[in-house]
């Protein structure tokens, strides 16, 4: 339908609701009009009889109703623009309505259809039955309507529909685009004033003019939260009181050393005031501050996973925090067995303050803060008393056994793990050699002085005194000559007789050792980032190929032992996978040693770790077992492409089964 087809217009305007209903006539004589369809619609809506209540009195669908809806909630920033003779005329808008077809006549047709069906069902009864001469009539008197009941009735949907139906249509006249009346109305879009003297509003700076065109939205500024829970603005945060700043930081970070908290609060913040405030929202665990459970789970809230009330969640999380005050490690199954909470809630508790380690459990995410414990013994003592009170409550609630109360000796003695790199081991070995040599030298000088005092012979041998000399090389160097083949032919492996403190290639100068270690570390790191899983035999083969590509006189030709190569593999973030090989395997000792890159820094680290854990228990695995385990551990349904990516990094397929690279025996 075009504007030329319009014969008459009628409208209902509702100023309070900012709504308009527009009724437009349809030209039924137009060749594009389907007369049979129009008759069918009119028959469905009005039936066969025509009266004042009929929607289509001509027995044709000869009109269409359009209902308006607001296109935008705030139109103060919009204007109608007209460009004329190099001038741009802007007219502000106070409302934008969008007209859409209304299909209320279909509802009327459905009502007619239901009435006809009800009449047909009622007509099945016998017409011969005589009507009762006397009928009992019950008269009821309506109660006086209260004000609240009247307001509910006025605001009801039925009342509004009735009011809308009772509203009268207003007849409108349509004027074409080229009509003189239309041209007269369009002139209101142009400004009648000329010259800058009259338009004083335009005599402003560019910034002021832009502010007039785009004023700041007051509603958005009022609705903006002062301190969002997911994204923190440090400038906005520092405008709050100190106690609120600390509470927001601890609620978002959850675990933080005291030094980091001071740095986030800015320079000049009083440490004593921070200590006083942080104790109100956090508890001390291994020298670090962990946010209290009632801050994360306020009263009258519940778990998003299981619907458990906040009080039960706080008790469960306090148990996890208390366990970390006793041990460095916590086992998830033990927490779930004691607290009786769902696995998702227990996982949330652990993720707040610890990191999962394969085959070990959950480790507290931060190292033990010895500096804070030494500087603030009074705070530590006060926190210990608080934990004693929490422990007493937990014992009553969970009926804790003795095994839950006594920490493990090995874990309790080592509050934080000690990681020693290969370079540190070499330096410690050198220091130990110097210390032993100095002690033996002093003992020798003392013996010589005693012999001289006894007038002994100057040439006397001292058979009982020997100076310990460190061997020039504790291990045989790896054979790197090309004529011996790529097999290497060495079986020295790991030396169990020597401790980790013994020097490697002690005849090399310290600077040379450092260069060799750097070159070897670069080779091992780049190789495992490409291969992910390698046996010791395959790694030695790739190392020989790497040596063959180096120029003569390179530092790596100084001699690399198997032990040094394996230590460097472990120092670069790799782990040895203890694959349960079958007893009848014919693999060599070097082929039985399997190493894998544990963390590559990409999104598939967790998936590869789960896969490697599977192969630490099984020599060969089916694909469906791997996919089910990945979906269970990673908490998501992986698609085929993601599973193929993880399998391609670490495994090979043979005979319908999957093996780690280098472990399949044909």
């Amino acid at each position: 339908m075009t504007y030329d087809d319009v014969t008459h217009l009628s409208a209902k305007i509702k100023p309070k609701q900012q709504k308009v209903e527009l009724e437009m006539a349809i030209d039924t004589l137009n060749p594009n009009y389907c007369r049979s369809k129009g008759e069918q619609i009119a028959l469905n809506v009005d039936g066969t009889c025509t009266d004042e209540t009929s929607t289509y009195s001509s027995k044709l669908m000869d009109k269409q109703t359009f209902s308006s809806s607001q296109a935008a909630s705030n139109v103060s920033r919009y204007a109608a623009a007209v460009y004329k003779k190099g001038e741009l005329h802007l007219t502000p808008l106070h409302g934008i309505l969008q007209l859409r077809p209304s299909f209320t006549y279909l509802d009327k047709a459905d009502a007619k259809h239901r009435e006809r069906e009800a009449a047909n069902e009622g007509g099945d009864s016998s017409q011969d039955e005589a009507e009762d001469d006397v009928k009992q009539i019950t008269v009821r008197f309506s109660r006086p309507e209260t004000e609240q009941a009247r307001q509910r009735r006025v605001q009801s949907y039925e009342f509004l529909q009735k009011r809308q139906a009772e509203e009268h249509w207003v007849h409108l006249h349509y004027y074409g685009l080229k009509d003189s009346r239309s041209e007269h109305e369009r002139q209101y879009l142009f400004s009648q004033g000329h010259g800058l003297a009259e338009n004083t509003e335009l005599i402003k700076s560019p910034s002021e003019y832009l502010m007039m065109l785009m004023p700041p939205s007051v509603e958005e500024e009022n609705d903006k939260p002062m301190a969002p829970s997911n994204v923190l603005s440090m400038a906005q945060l520092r405008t709050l009181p100190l106690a609120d700043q600390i509470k927001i930081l601890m609620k978002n970070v959850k675990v933080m050393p005291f030094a980091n908290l001071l740095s986030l609060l800015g320079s000049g913040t009083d440490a004593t005031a921070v200590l006083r405030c942080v104790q109100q929202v956090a508890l001390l665990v291994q020298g670090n501050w962990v946010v209290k459970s009632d801050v994360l789970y306020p009263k009258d809230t519940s778990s998003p996973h299981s619907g458990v009330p906040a009080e039960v969640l706080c008790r469960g999380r306090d148990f996890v925090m208390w366990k970390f005050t006793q041990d460095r490690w916590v086992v998830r199954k033990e927490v779930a067995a004691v607290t009786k909470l769902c696995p998702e809630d227990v996982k949330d508790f652990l993720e707040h303050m610890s990191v999962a380690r394969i085959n070990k459990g959950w480790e507290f995410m931060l190292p033990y803060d010895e500096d804070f414990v030494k500087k603030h013994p009074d705070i530590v003592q006060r926190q210990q008393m608080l934990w004693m009170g929490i422990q007493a409550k937990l014992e009553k609630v969970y009926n804790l056994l003795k095994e839950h109360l006594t920490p493990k000796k090995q874990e309790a003695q080592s509050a934080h793990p000690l990681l020693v790199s290969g370079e540190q081991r070499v330096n410690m070995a050198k220091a130990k050699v110097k210390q032993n040599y100095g002690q033996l030298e002093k003992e020798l000088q003392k013996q010589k002085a005693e012999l001289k005092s006894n007038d002994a012979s100057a040439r006397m041998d001292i058979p009982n005194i020997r100076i310990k000399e460190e061997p020039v090389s504790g291990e045989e160097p790896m054979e790197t000559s090309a004529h011996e083949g790529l097999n290497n032919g060495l079986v020295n492996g790991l030396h169990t007789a020597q401790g980790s403190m013994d020097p490697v290639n002690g005849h090399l100068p310290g600077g040379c050792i450092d260069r060799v270690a750097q070159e070897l570390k670069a080779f091992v790191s780049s190789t495992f980032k490409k291969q992910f899983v390698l046996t010791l035999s395959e790694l030695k083969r790739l190392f020989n190929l790497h040596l063959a590509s180096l120029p003569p006189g390179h530092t790596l030709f100084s001699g690399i032992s198997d032990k040094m190569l394996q230590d460097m593999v472990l120092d670069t973030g790799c782990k040895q996978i203890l694959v349960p090989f079958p007893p009848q395997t014919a693999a060599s000792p070097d082929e039985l040693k399997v190493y894998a890159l544990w963390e590559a820094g990409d999104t598939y680290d967790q998936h590869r770790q789960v896969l490697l854990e599977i192969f630490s228990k099984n020599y060969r695995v089916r694909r469906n077992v791997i996919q089910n385990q990945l979906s269970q551990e990673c908490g998501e349904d992986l698609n085929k492409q993601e599973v193929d990516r993880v399998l391609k990094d670490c495994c090979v397929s043979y005979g319908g089964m999957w093996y780690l690279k280098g472990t399949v025996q044909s």
Side-chain angles (χ1 to χ4, degrees):
M1 183 178 65
T2 61
Y3 289 110
D4 297 334
D5 300 329
V6 177
T7 57
H8 73 272
L9 293 176
S10 298
K12 289 183 180 180
I13 302 176
K14 302 176 177 61
K16 294 183 179 180
Q17 301 178 14
Q18 296 184 354
K19 187 176 182 180
V20 174
E21 286 187 359
L22 185 66
E23 186 181 89
M24 302 179 65
I26 300 177
D27 186 7
T28 58
L29 301 178
N30 194 293
N32 297 325
Y33 181 80
C34 182
R35 190 175 184 86
S36 61
K37 194 69 175 177
E39 292 177 351
Q40 183 64 41
I41 293 175
L43 181 62
N44 293 338
V45 174
D46 298 327
T48 56
C49 60
T50 57
D51 51 16
E52 296 179 355
T53 61
S54 299
T55 303
Y56 303 112
S57 58
S58 62
K59 296 186 178 180
L60 281 174
M61 183 183 177
D62 55 357
K63 56 187 176 181
Q64 175 68 55
T65 304
F66 293 85
S67 180
S68 68
S69 61
Q70 291 188 7
S73 59
N74 184 12
V75 297
S76 60
R77 297 187 177 187
Y78 295 93
V82 180
Y83 187 77
K84 181 180 180 181
K85 296 181 181 180
E87 297 177 349
L88 183 65
H89 298 260
L90 299 177
T91 302
L93 300 180
H94 301 286
I96 301 176
L97 298 179
Q98 182 180 13
L99 291 175
R100 296 180 179 178
S102 176
F103 301 98
T104 54
Y105 60 89
L106 297 178
D107 299 334
K108 190 174 181 181
D110 291 340
K112 290 281 187 180
H113 179 69
R114 288 192 295 269
E115 290 177 1
R116 285 193 294 267
E117 288 184 349
N120 293 334
E121 293 177 358
D124 294 340
S125 61
S126 176
Q127 300 294 330
D128 298 334
E129 296 179 358
E131 296 183 357
D132 297 334
D133 295 335
V134 180
K135 293 183 179 180
Q136 184 178 0
I137 300 175
T138 303
V139 180
R140 295 181 179 179
F141 297 94
S142 61
R143 296 179 180 178
E145 188 178 26
T146 62
E147 181 65 22
Q148 294 181 352
R150 190 190 69 80
Q151 291 180 359
R152 286 196 299 268
R153 181 177 59 83
V154 170
Q155 296 176 359
S156 64
Y157 176 76
E158 291 80 8
F159 184 82
L160 294 177
Q161 289 294 103
K162 184 179 179 181
R163 286 282 302 274
Q164 182 177 351
E166 293 175 352
E167 188 174 357
H168 296 287
W169 288 94
V170 178
H171 186 71
L172 303 178
H173 295 280
Y174 172 75
Y175 298 96
L177 182 65
K178 299 181 180 179
D179 193 271
S180 59
R181 293 291 300 269
S182 300
E183 182 65 27
H184 177 73
E185 292 294 331
R186 278 198 298 273
Q187 293 300 320
Y188 287 108
L189 297 176
F190 299 97
S191 175
Q192 304 300 323
H194 300 282
L196 295 178
E198 298 179 0
N199 300 329
T200 56
E201 293 293 335
L202 299 180
I203 308 177
K204 294 182 179 297
S205 63
S207 59
E208 294 175 343
Y209 182 58
L210 288 176
M211 185 62 67
M212 292 173 60
L213 289 179
M214 297 288 291
S217 178
V218 180
E219 296 180 359
E220 295 180 359
E221 292 180 357
N222 294 336
D223 296 340
K224 187 179 297 182
M226 290 299 296
S229 59
N230 52 351
V231 180
L232 287 176
S233 171
M234 297 306 296
Q236 196 175 34
L237 180 68
R238 290 175 181 174
T239 60
L240 302 176
L242 181 61
D244 294 340
Q245 295 184 43
I246 296 174
K247 182 177 181 180
I248 293 173
L249 287 173
M250 292 305 305
K251 187 175 181 181
N252 283 269
V253 183
K254 296 180 178 62
V255 182
M256 195 186 312
F258 184 72
N260 291 11
L261 180 61
L262 279 179
S263 63
L264 290 175
L265 294 173
S267 59
T269 306
D270 186 12
T272 305
V274 175
L275 276 174
R276 185 170 54 254
C277 295
V278 75
Q279 293 181 73
Q280 299 175 3
V281 296
L283 293 170
L284 194 66
V285 178
Q286 298 190 22
N288 302 279
W289 291 100
V290 182
V291 64
K292 289 183 177 179
S293 301
D294 54 1
V295 176
L296 291 181
Y297 303 108
K299 192 177 180 181
D300 298 332
T301 60
S302 59
S303 167
H305 305 295
S306 59
V308 174
E311 182 181 359
V312 181
L313 293 178
C314 291
R315 284 203 303 262
R317 188 174 180 274
D318 288 344
F319 176 75
V320 175
M321 295 170 62
W322 171 75
K323 288 292 292 182
F324 277 118
T325 62
Q326 306 295 312
D327 301 324
R328 182 72 187 174
W329 300 85
V330 169
V331 180
R332 179 176 174 178
K333 292 182 179 179
E334 180 184 348
V335 176
V338 173
T339 60
K340 301 297 189 297
L341 293 173
C342 71
E344 290 79 7
D345 290 333
V346 176
K347 186 178 180 182
D348 286 347
F349 299 158
L350 294 171
E351 287 179 345
H352 289 169
M353 62 194 81
S354 58
V355 180
R357 306 295 186 190
I358 302 298
N359 293 332
K360 290 186 177 181
W362 292 76
E363 183 186 10
F364 194 73
M365 63 172 55
L366 295 179
Y368 190 84
D369 195 349
E370 295 182 357
D371 294 338
F372 180 83
V373 174
K374 293 179 180 179
K375 291 180 181 178
H376 306 280
D378 53 338
I379 301 294
V380 175
Q381 184 179 4
R382 189 180 303 119
Q383 290 292 314
Q384 288 177 353
M385 296 176 64
L386 288 175
W387 278 117
M388 290 175 63
I390 294 175
Q391 178 180 343
K393 293 181 181 179
L394 294 175
E395 290 179 10
K396 294 180 180 179
V397 174
Y398 294 126
N399 296 323
L400 298 180
L401 302 176
K402 186 177 180 181
E403 59 184 13
H404 297 144
L405 299 176
T406 56
K408 299 178 181 179
K409 294 182 179 180
Q410 295 179 356
E411 296 173 350
Q413 290 175 358
S414 59
H416 54 285
L418 181 61
L419 302 177
V420 183
S421 63
E423 183 178 356
Q424 290 175 336
R425 291 175 181 173
V426 173
N427 295 334
M428 292 170 65
K430 291 180 180 179
K432 185 177 180 181
V433 170
K434 292 181 179 179
Q435 182 180 1
N436 294 340
Y437 183 82
Q439 292 178 356
L440 293 173
E441 185 68 26
K442 291 179 180 179
E443 188 176 353
L444 178 61
Q445 295 296 336
K446 183 178 179 180
Q447 293 289 342
K448 287 183 178 181
E450 291 178 356
L451 292 175
K452 288 182 179 180
S453 63
N454 295 331
D455 297 328
S457 176
R459 294 177 296 174
M460 180 185 299
D461 294 331
I462 307 175
N464 295 327
I465 301 299
R466 291 185 301 168
I467 300 176
K468 180 181 177 181
E469 296 180 359
E470 292 294 320
V472 176
S473 177
E475 301 166 0
E476 291 293 332
M478 180 183 292
E479 181 60 39
T480 57
S481 59
H483 66 275
E484 290 295 333
L486 302 177
N487 211 349
N488 196 0
L490 290 179
V491 294
N492 49 351
L494 281 173
H495 292 252
T496 58
Q498 296 179 351
S500 61
M501 298 301 180
D502 290 341
V504 179
N505 295 336
H507 64 284
L508 295 175
C512 184
I513 293 176
D514 294 340
R515 290 196 300 272
V516 171
Q518 292 176 1
E519 292 288 341
L520 185 59
K521 184 175 183 179
F523 163 76
V524 172
S525 178
S526 61
T527 302
F528 272 94
K529 285 183 179 179
K530 297 176 183 177
Q531 303 290 337
F532 290 96
V533 177
L534 286 171
T535 61
L536 180 59
S537 176
E538 180 65 13
L539 180 62
K540 289 161 66 174
R541 187 185 71 83
L542 295 175
F543 182 70
N544 281 317
L545 290 176
H546 178 66
L547 288 178
S549 64
L550 297 177
H554 197 273
T555 55
L556 287 181
F557 286 107
S558 58
I560 304 298
S561 65
D562 289 355
K563 182 177 183 298
M564 186 174 183
L565 183 62
Q566 293 176 84
D567 288 344
M568 187 56 68
V569 170
L570 299 177
D571 291 337
T572 52
C574 300
K575 289 189 177 182
Q576 183 174 359
I577 310 301
L578 302 178
V579 180
F581 287 93
Q584 66 275 15
T585 181
S588 63
D590 289 345
E591 292 176 344
L592 297 178
K593 296 178 180 179
V594 184
Y595 296 91
L597 182 60
W598 198 250
E599 293 183 357
D602 56 12
T603 57
Y604 294 94
D605 275 345
Q606 184 180 3
H607 307 115
R608 280 192 291 266
Q609 291 171 10
V610 174
L611 180 65
L612 295 173
E613 184 181 3
I614 295 174
F615 279 99
S616 65
K617 302 176 182 178
N618 301 279
Y619 169 60
R620 56 182 181 180
V621 189
R622 294 188 181 275
R623 179 190 173 92
N624 59 347
V625 176
I626 296 175
Q627 188 158 0
N628 293 337
Q629 190 71 15
L630 285 173
S631 300
Q632 181 179 357
E633 294 292 335
C634 300
E636 57 184 352
D637 294 329
L638 303 177
N639 54 36
K640 183 178 181 299
Q641 291 76 11
E642 293 175 332
V643 177
D644 290 342
R645 165 67 187 275
V646 177
L647 290 174
K648 181 181 178 182
D649 290 344
C650 306
C651 303
V652 293
S653 177
Y654 183 79
M657 304 293 289
W658 288 89
Y659 302 79
L660 281 182
K661 290 182 179 179
T663 62
V664 60
Q665 302 295 327
S666 57

